[in-house]
Amino acid sequence: MPSAIERSGMTSFEGFRCTDCARTVTEDGATRCPDCEGTLDATYDLSGEIDGEAFESRAGGWKHRELLPFVPEGIGEGATPLVEAPRLTEELGVGRVLIKNEAHNPTGTVTDRGLALVAEAAARSGADTLALPTTGDGGQSAAAYAARAGLLSRSFVPSRATFINKAMINVHGGDMRVVEGRFDDAKAAYEAEREELPAADEETWFPAAPFDSPFRHEGTKPIYYEIAEALEWTAPDAVVVPVGHGATIAGLWKGAREFDEVDVVSGTPRLYAAQPDGCAPIVEAVESGDDPEPWEYPDTVVGSLEVPDPAGGLPAVEAVRASGGAGVAVDDQDLLDSAATVAQHEGLEVSVACGTATAGAWELADEGAFDPDDTVVVLNTATGNKDADIVRSRLMSQGI
Ligand SMILES: [Zn+2]
């Protein structure tokens, strides 16, 4: 089979470059740097003609093929709506607030975008299993895309993962190991089992966690491309992003820089990283000016963001700093209230991770981070029904 580069034709993709030692890898099934285990990142030759009109003339979530390593077949991920939020606009005192609603993806979360690329890369490389430690959504997504690609999936989830995540991993036919404890315990179990893998001819794992391959964060770039197109090829002033592993905010920043560089859009937005204050290693690093340090005692109701040692901590922090944004950490009760407020004021069912971003946006507005005419985008990472029990519990604790 020709390599990705030989097949590229319609893309300006060059290869995957190690962010530590700069070695370039061109195999379809690239995972981490073969020399130093560093993170690989797709690079492109952006000197050619790339224009917004060409994108406008196409449909679907993978229409920006010039800026992708390859186009996966997929099951309808991406091309999600950017929804006006008029009451939030009024409450934040800005020009316009919009919610980029990733709940519309096939398994209801933003992780589907990256997993579509991961599954295709795994199949092309001859692997037979997608394997990952996951807070939950990534496991559900991996199980779905593995099923579609005719692969197995093995998810290591902490016991606290949502019921829907666990149920749907099973429903998709995925293998699941529920590990007592939190995400780091699931990660340790994954790593131990990976060490003990039987002979390679029995089962070949393709690592499907964020930054274990160049595909998860690359797959989130179209979120930004779609936002820019919906805003008639302008950059929003600010994007508030809930941050766990850091893949989404790193991808958004990469997409923003690419669109600015090829002149499809002029300028880039300020990116704001929102985390629960019970697990905020990226916010802490942004504020201290240092590299991210593992969070010692992670404790938040937002399971999807309870990632104490983010694989993409550094690129996430660099994205926030380079964009001129900031970090914001919010209290669990505030973020639950915010998720309910979005449901009550805008009609949208959003994740508690989005509640984190919305509570963060309120706090940022109070601090004067936004101008009165700013266009602010808040990212909803997942469908609200996965978290319905904890938001409802919060309402019941208030006698509602
Ligand atoms: Zn390297």
Side-chain angles (χ1 to χ4, degrees):
M1 184 186 281
S3 76
I5 289 179
E6 287 162 326
R7 270 199 325 274
S8 59
M10 298 306 293
T11 169
S12 50
F13 174 68
E14 292 177 321
F16 301 108
R17 197 175 56 191
C18 175
T19 55
D20 288 338
C21 76
R23 172 169 172 175
T24 296
V25 178
T26 56
E27 294 95 78
D28 281 334
T31 53
R32 294 190 77 92
C33 174
D35 287 346
C36 76
E37 284 282 300
T39 299
L40 295 177
D41 192 42
T43 62
Y44 302 85
D45 172 8
L46 299 177
S47 60
E49 182 88 353
I50 294 175
D51 69 84
E53 273 179 34
F55 296 141
E56 251 168 353
S57 69
R58 307 173 196 155
W62 301 108
K63 65 182 186 174
H64 313 89
R65 57 188 181 232
E66 290 86 345
L67 298 171
L68 294 165
F70 53 79
V71 172
E73 183 194 355
I75 50 174
E77 56 287 334
T80 58
L82 185 66
V83 184
E84 296 280 354
R87 286 184 67 181
L88 269 176
T89 300
E90 208 172 295
E91 286 155 8
L92 293 183
V94 296
R96 201 175 174 195
V97 176
L98 303 112
I99 295 178
K100 179 66 171 167
N101 196 2
E102 292 295 303
H104 286 246
N105 282 296
T107 76
T109 70
V110 65
T111 54
D112 290 342
R113 294 187 186 251
L115 258 310
L117 287 179
V118 168
E120 181 106 4
R124 288 179 178 191
S125 71
D128 53 29
T129 304
L130 300 185
L132 72 165
T134 167
T135 54
D137 288 342
Q140 183 177 340
S141 196
Y145 284 86
R148 176 66 177 215
L151 304 170
L152 304 168
S153 73
R154 292 202 188 281
S155 296
F156 294 75
V157 303
S159 46
R160 63 157 305 170
T162 68
F163 167 76
I164 290 179
N165 286 150
K166 292 176 196 159
M168 291 312 296
I169 289 171
N170 287 151
V171 170
H172 285 297
D175 176 80
M176 175 173 63
R177 180 150 160 221
V178 178
V179 181
E180 191 58 44
R182 297 172 184 271
F183 175 71
D184 270 6
D185 301 300
K187 193 173 161 195
Y190 162 81
E191 282 165 359
E193 199 148 324
R194 200 172 170 198
E195 291 288 306
E196 290 164 15
L197 264 189
D201 57 348
E202 285 182 41
E203 193 170 304
T204 315
W205 283 16
F206 191 91
F211 298 97
D212 272 353
S213 78
F215 302 106
R216 289 278 296 264
H217 59 286
E218 199 66 15
T220 65
K221 292 191 314 185
I223 298 170
Y224 181 77
Y225 305 151
E226 292 166 13
I227 292 170
E229 181 176 346
L231 297 176
E232 295 172 348
W233 306 109
T234 62
D237 297 290
V239 186
V240 189
V241 188
V243 176
H245 294 282
T248 304
I249 198 164
L252 278 167
W253 180 235
K254 190 177 181 192
R257 280 180 298 134
E258 286 170 347
F259 259 20
D260 185 40
E261 192 173 335
V262 300
D263 256 339
V264 167
V265 163
S266 166
T268 53
R270 306 189 303 277
L271 299 185
Y272 294 90
Q275 296 193 295
D277 63 9
C279 187
I282 287 166
V283 173
E284 189 181 69
V286 168
E287 288 174 354
S288 70
D290 297 327
D291 287 353
E293 292 286 336
W295 197 262
E296 202 168 353
Y297 301 108
D299 185 19
T300 167
V301 291
V302 191
S304 65
L305 301 185
E306 199 181 77
V307 182
D309 188 11
L314 202 54
V317 168
E318 284 168 352
V320 174
R321 285 186 189 139
S323 73
V328 60
V330 299
D331 175 78
D332 272 1
Q333 306 310 322
D334 288 346
L335 66 88
L336 292 174
D337 290 344
S338 292
T341 300
V342 174
Q344 291 167 13
H345 288 190
E346 308 292 0
L348 290 172
E349 298 178 4
V350 299
S351 62
V352 289
C354 178
T356 309
T358 317
W362 260 296
E363 197 167 316
L364 289 163
D366 285 345
E367 293 167 2
F370 306 131
D371 287 333
D373 59 352
D374 270 358
T375 295
V376 178
V377 174
V378 176
L379 188 73
N380 176 35
T381 46
T383 175
N385 61 22
K386 294 190 195 195
D387 304 320
D389 52 347
I390 51 173
V391 178
R392 186 156 175 271
S393 294
R394 167 68 180 160
L395 293 175
M396 288 169 77
S397 76
Q398 296 166 306
I400 297 168

